Amino acid sequence: MTKPLHVLFVCLGNICRSPTAEAVFKKIVQDHNLDAKFVIDSAGTAGHHEGEEADPRTIDHGLQRGYNVTSISRPFKNPKDFENFDYIVVMDEDNYSELLRFDSRKNYKTKIHKMVQFCKIHKLKIVPDPYYGGPEAFEHVIDVLEDACQGFFEKIKTEHNL
């Protein structure tokens, strides 16, 4: 593999789930000494929080679990993100539908994946949005994303012989 794999995690506002997924996946990649083989980012389907840090609860719960959530919110850039990223991983059905809508010619559908499809332990249809929940909601999201990111990493590792 000559060029790094580009991975983009996407949720609605890019302040809770996708920045957490980005941080969890980055740590998995770092733990396997594969930093140079990846470019990892996150974005939102809506630009409500553009330029903001992740939700403070996301940052705090991430730190408590050993994850450094440092991303700055940005909206999904169509078609640039479709062109630049090899894998685009969404947190829920609305994100999936929105990206399919952005991809009106269906040129990039094979790049779009649902995060929960990589879970080995959790059996969910979506990664729940913790924004209106309490501490347990943020902890649950980290649990789900640890499971899903590990499964996703294993898939990529096998597919690309890392």
Side-chain angles (χ1 to χ4, degrees), residues 5-29 38-46 71-77 81 85-92 95-96 99 111-118 127 144-154 156:
L5 288 170
H6 289 66
V7 176
L8 182 67
F9 295 100
V10 178
C11 69
L12 176 63
N14 192 217
I15 60 168
C16 294
R17 296 171 293 172
S18 57
T20 301
E22 177 186 350
V24 170
F25 194 72
K26 279 182 177 177
K27 185 166 187 327
I28 291 169
V29 166
F38 287 90
V39 172
I40 305 163
D41 197 5
S42 61
T45 56
S71 64
I72 301 298
S73 180
R74 71 169 183 87
F76 184 87
K77 296 177 180 113
D81 284 334
F85 286 90
D86 302 300
Y87 295 91
I88 300 169
V89 187
V90 300
M91 301 299 130
D92 65 30
N95 309 145
Y96 186 75
L99 290 190
K111 291 185 174 191
I112 307 168
H113 305 274
K114 296 176 183 178
M115 186 87 258
V116 293
Q117 79 186 62
F118 303 109
V127 176
V144 171
L145 291 173
E146 287 176 335
D147 180 17
C149 284
Q150 186 61 48
F152 179 52
F153 177 76
E154 289 168 13
I156 290 177

Side-chain angles (χ1 to χ4, degrees), residues 28-152:
I28 291 169
V29 166
Q30 289 168 350
D31 289 349
H32 287 85
N33 296 314
L34 294 171
D35 303 55
K37 302 225 182 248
F38 287 90
V39 172
I40 305 163
D41 197 5
S42 61
T45 56
H48 310 320
H49 300 284
E50 185 172 2
E52 295 178 18
E53 290 183 343
D55 184 293
R57 298 167 295 174
T58 297
I59 295 169
D60 290 344
H61 286 275
L63 285 173
Q64 290 172 29
R65 299 277 286 270
Y67 302 108
N68 194 10
V69 182
T70 59
S71 64
I72 301 298
S73 180
R74 71 169 183 87
F76 184 87
K77 296 177 180 113
N78 181 28
K80 185 177 177 185
D81 284 334
F82 280 130
E83 294 165 358
N84 291 340
F85 286 90
D86 302 300
Y87 295 91
I88 300 169
V89 187
V90 300
M91 301 299 130
D92 65 30
E93 292 294 331
D94 290 338
N95 309 145
Y96 186 75
S97 297
E98 191 70 4
L99 290 190
L100 290 179
R101 189 179 69 75
F102 291 164
D103 181 21
S104 58
R105 294 186 182 165
K106 307 299 178 235
N107 294 330
Y108 306 105
K109 187 176 181 180
T110 59
K111 291 185 174 191
I112 307 168
H113 305 274
K114 296 176 183 178
M115 186 87 258
V116 293
Q117 79 186 62
F118 303 109
C119 285
K120 305 279 189 204
I121 300 165
H122 295 85
K123 304 297 180 210
L124 300 168
K125 293 184 189 247
I126 65 166
V127 176
D129 190 342
Y131 188 78
Y132 293 106
E136 67 286 343
F138 287 86
E139 290 296 319
H140 178 63
V141 164
I142 294 173
D143 291 340
V144 171
L145 291 173
E146 287 176 335
D147 180 17
C149 284
Q150 186 61 48
F152 179 52

